[in-house]
Amino acid sequence: MKNMTIKTSLTALTLAMGLGAAQQASAANWLMLQGTEPAGSAPRAKLWGFVQAQYQKDFSDSFGAGEVYIPPKLIGPNLETQDQFNVNRARIGVRGSNFPLDSKTNYFVLIEMGRNGITNHGDAFAKVTDASVTFNHIPGARVRVGLFKNPGPEEGLQAIHVFDYINFTTVTNQLMLERYPVAGYTNAPAQSIPGADFNKIGNSVGAFRDTGIQVFDTFKSGSWETAYAVKIGNGSGLEITDNDNNKDVYLYLSTEKVYGGKGGRREGWKFFAWSQSGKRIDPNNTANEYDRKRYGVGTKYLKKPFRVSAEYMKGKGMIFQGPHRPGHMFNDLEASGWYVEGGWYIPKTKLEIDLRYDSYTREENHPTSVAGDESRYKTATIGMQYHFNKKTRLNMEYSNRNYESDTTAVNNQYEGVKGRFAIQVTAIF
Amino acid sequence: MKSLKNWLMLALLALSLGLSAQAMADKASKPFAEKRVVLQISDPNPFKQTLVLNVANNLLKHYGPDKVDIEIVAFGPGLRLLFADNANKGRIKRLVENGGVRFSACSNTIRNMGKKLGHPPVLNPNAVKVSAGVVRILDLVDQGYVLIKP
């Protein structure tokens, strides 16, 4: 299986190298925006970052005589209350061309100091989320090494400070935002608040990142840009070091009709496909090894005043069962989901209206699995953004959630899952 | 001794003829120009690269390509603007082709950067080497060019 994966990687790489005959692009997509600097005009060290402060309220009902809750009814990352203010993200970083006379090397460092799934475990003051160096010596095959984002789903790969919503779709949150339980983990039952203790994972979320090496580049042909990435990583998220001999393989291919603009909100119509595959070891039973496979295809169209995007994702193995049930996530189950969303930038105003619908099916085709029967999660979100200026905006959203499970005990709790309101300010510097 | 004197005289004559010819050539490229501007880029800040190109573009738009004569002189850290792989190479090409803008690269800086790099920097094909950026600016000012350092 590993040989086959490497073969697939090489085929993709060869295909992408073939595209090298086309003219090289400068910086135009997430791979390039995050992994490269503009040649000859990058600073030695550019200080940058952003702050996201938010308030969220969950309207879900408790269940049973003990008025107990489950994680989807509480506000993360602490999962102790149904409404709270939070500084969700406070990131500061430095990037640039370390030796400005030589455009062939650049670096990227970013540290998280907000309170979220990255920092919540162990009450970490800060955690490094990115630390990478890119070598641009080989035409058509740039090489990036270190800790950085994995080529993958749009919600994970894109810069989070230009994300058009506050909360991820359920499919991205559950299927793609990987959790890493530590040895000695235990499950937790539904609990009452205050005092609930649901975080049983023990490590930071993966934050769609991994430590490894990536070969990538982008090629321009007329108004079309085609990008590829092949990454091999530890499969250990933000933990940087590896805990086994297995390596993850990440593949990504995109092509985009570029309409104009630049940066994270460049206008264009992008089509992309990706895959991720690796193995995970159960830290409570290191003899047990599980495949983790993820695939996805999607598209994103942005030409103001309209934006439309959609993505389908599928996964097998290591299907997340909630932060309170790490004991069930070492599995060979299947899951899939999709989302479609759109935005309308109201002309001559600073307002933007966003609509999103996402669907996620967990334990697909496994009605008698140990982790429970099939569960379905459907969420409709209406959002609004007010852009004070290019670097500062206010997001507001309300999500109507409809969760159901074929397992009666789980479904009893899911029936009480209701709407969630969130408001967030983002300031980029 | 006499022979050396003759050679020196000849060299000075050639130099002055060369400079005169260069000065004539500077102005000859835009014979109908009503404004003559030399833009200096010597700053390491990448934003200044964008700014100096914007200024050149705005001058061309305001006066028209035939009515304004622009030369951008790069030296010191500003020479990066004229590196062959600079992200602004497309804009430089358009300014040369559509606006007749000239780009001068300081040879002293090229030499010094070459020592740090281990090889001479590869320059934009539109860049013309001059002996020293600051001397080039002084010469242009003497010819009536207005110096602007954005």
Side-chain angles (χ1 to χ4, degrees):
Chain A
M1 183 60 210
K2 195 177 257 182
N3 284 343
M4 196 176 156
T5 310
I6 290 169
K7 211 174 194 177
T8 314
S9 312
L10 288 174
T11 308
L13 181 62
T14 309
L15 176 70
M17 292 289 283
L19 296 169
Q23 186 191 347
Q24 267 190 279
S26 51
N29 52 45
W30 300 123
L31 297 175
M32 302 297 281
L33 284 171
Q34 295 166 6
T36 66
E37 297 291 338
S41 61
R44 186 186 299 275
K46 178 189 176 186
L47 184 72
W48 72 286
F50 59 95
V51 173
Q52 288 184 326
Q54 63 169 225
Y55 170 81
Q56 293 208 50
K57 179 167 179 60
D58 194 306
F59 296 97
S60 300
D61 299 325
S62 62
F63 175 74
E67 295 190 345
V68 293
Y69 295 84
I70 54 173
K73 296 178 176 181
L74 301 171
I75 305 296
N78 46 325
L79 302 170
E80 294 169 323
T81 176
Q82 284 197 299
D83 75 299
Q84 74 174 352
F85 293 97
N86 184 18
V87 179
N88 191 39
R89 296 186 182 90
R91 294 187 187 176
I92 188 162
V94 185
R95 61 183 296 179
S97 185
N98 55 324
F99 183 49
L101 294 185
D102 181 7
S103 300
K104 297 204 181 302
T105 61
N106 56 271
Y107 69 96
F108 185 111
V109 180
L110 188 63
I111 294 170
E112 171 67 278
M113 291 181 289
R115 184 46 55 100
N116 53 37
I118 295 171
T119 52
N120 194 52
H121 300 289
D123 290 336
F125 158 68
K127 193 164 179 84
V128 174
T129 62
D130 300 82
S132 70
V133 178
T134 302
F135 298 92
N136 305 288
H137 295 75
I138 307 169
R142 300 170 196 262
V143 179
R144 190 178 184 190
V145 296
L147 171 64
F148 54 95
K149 282 198 170 184
N150 302 323
E154 183 72 8
E155 278 185 291
L157 183 57
Q158 73 174 173
I160 195 65
H161 52 277
V162 295
F163 183 41
D164 291 303
Y165 299 87
I166 299 169
N167 291 308
F168 291 124
T169 58
T170 307
V171 58
T172 296
N173 179 39
Q174 291 206 27
L175 191 65
M176 301 309 306
L177 185 59
E178 191 170 0
R179 276 76 166 183
Y180 297 89
V182 296
Y185 64 73
T186 56
N187 290 341
Q191 298 165 59
S192 59
I193 55 172
D197 179 16
F198 284 115
N199 284 312
K200 297 297 179 186
I201 300 293
N203 265 334
S204 300
V205 297
F208 312 106
R209 289 162 169 86
D210 196 8
T211 306
I213 181 168
Q214 175 177 281
V215 179
F216 71 106
D217 214 334
T218 295
F219 308 95
K220 194 173 179 182
S221 177
S223 59
W224 284 87
E225 282 193 7
T226 301
Y228 80 94
V230 178
K231 179 177 179 180
I232 297 173
N234 287 333
S236 54
L238 297 180
E239 296 314 304
I240 300 181
T241 52
D242 208 351
N243 67 343
D244 58 34
N245 287 327
N246 301 314
K247 294 289 174 281
D248 279 30
V249 176
Y250 308 85
L251 303 174
Y252 184 89
L253 189 64
S254 73
T255 188
E256 180 173 5
K257 167 84 173 169
V258 179
Y259 298 132
K262 59 181 183 179
R265 295 190 187 277
R266 185 182 69 177
E267 295 187 341
W269 192 358
K270 181 168 70 174
F271 302 87
F272 55 93
W274 52 268
S275 78
Q276 302 181 350
S277 61
K279 291 180 185 297
R280 300 289 181 270
I281 286 173
D282 183 346
N284 273 6
N285 188 349
T286 51
N288 290 347
E289 195 174 72
Y290 298 86
D291 285 334
R292 179 185 184 273
K293 293 176 183 171
R294 303 288 186 269
Y295 313 90
V297 291
T299 183
K300 184 168 188 174
Y301 170 89
L302 171 62
K303 192 169 188 183
K304 286 185 177 178
F306 298 110
R307 183 194 71 245
V308 179
S309 56
E311 190 168 3
Y312 172 81
M313 292 170 246
K314 187 168 177 60
K316 187 173 188 311
M318 297 299 299
I319 302 299
F320 180 59
Q321 305 291 323
H324 58 315
R325 300 202 301 167
H328 294 311
M329 70 175 282
F330 294 91
N331 58 51
D332 295 315
L333 300 171
E334 293 181 15
S336 70
W338 55 272
Y339 68 82
V340 59
E341 69 86 33
W344 179 46
Y345 303 81
I346 302 174
K348 296 178 183 173
T349 73
K350 295 179 174 182
L351 281 172
E352 179 186 339
I353 303 294
D354 302 300
L355 277 174
R356 184 176 73 186
Y357 183 82
D358 64 88
S359 172
Y360 179 57
T361 304
R362 204 168 77 184
E363 277 82 273
E364 264 183 335
N365 312 317
H366 282 72
T368 56
S369 73
V370 292
D373 300 339
E374 184 175 293
S375 298
R376 294 164 292 279
Y377 307 83
K378 294 177 170 54
T379 305
T381 301
I382 181 165
M384 187 275 291
Q385 296 185 68
Y386 182 81
H387 299 268
F388 292 97
N389 54 46
K390 277 191 165 185
K391 303 280 187 180
T392 316
R393 74 182 197 279
L394 176 78
N395 280 61
M396 199 156 56
E397 69 186 33
Y398 180 82
S399 295
N400 185 46
R401 298 173 296 171
N402 182 9
Y403 292 0
E404 57 183 25
S405 173
D406 292 344
T407 302
T408 305
V410 176
N411 197 59
N412 287 338
Q413 274 285 4
Y414 281 178
E415 282 181 350
V417 173
K418 297 283 176 13
R420 174 174 286 182
F421 170 77
I423 185 168
Q424 178 175 278
V425 170
T426 300
I428 306 163
F429 60 90
Chain B
M1 190 62 191
K2 197 175 176 185
S3 162
L4 182 65
K5 212 176 208 175
N6 287 342
W7 275 112
L8 278 173
M9 289 292 288
L10 203 61
L12 280 171
L13 182 67
L15 185 65
S16 67
L17 280 173
L19 288 173
S20 305
Q22 193 179 13
M24 282 170 69
D26 298 336
K27 292 191 173 178
S29 64
K30 292 276 185 97
F32 304 110
E34 294 167 0
K35 303 284 181 186
R36 299 191 187 275
V37 179
V38 52
L39 296 171
Q40 175 182 334
I41 171 85
S42 53
D43 201 295
N45 186 348
F47 174 68
K48 292 293 179 69
Q49 296 184 4
T50 308
L51 192 59
V52 78
L53 298 177
N54 286 350
V55 169
N57 197 47
N58 289 341
L59 286 169
L60 289 169
K61 270 202 293 190
H62 183 83
Y63 292 107
D66 294 334
K67 300 289 184 185
V68 61
D69 178 15
I70 304 168
E71 180 162 329
I72 296 176
V73 179
F75 64 93
L79 186 71
R80 290 172 71 206
L81 174 67
L82 299 183
F83 281 11
D85 63 352
N86 185 285
N88 296 297
K89 62 188 174 193
R91 291 193 70 191
I92 291 172
K93 190 178 177 203
R94 284 193 294 277
L95 284 170
V96 171
E97 290 176 354
N98 304 332
V101 175
R102 299 187 301 277
F103 289 84
S104 295
C106 172
S107 291
N108 288 336
T109 307
I110 294 169
R111 199 161 41 248
N112 289 332
M113 285 184 172
K115 286 176 189 169
K116 290 179 183 172
L117 277 167
H119 57 82
V122 182
L123 292 185
N124 188 307
N126 291 302
V128 175
K129 288 183 190 173
V130 294
S131 59
V134 70
V135 172
R136 177 65 180 163
I137 287 174
L138 287 174
D139 287 347
L140 289 171
V141 168
D142 284 347
Q143 291 173 40
Y145 283 70
V146 175
L147 171 63
I148 298 174
K149 186 187 176 190

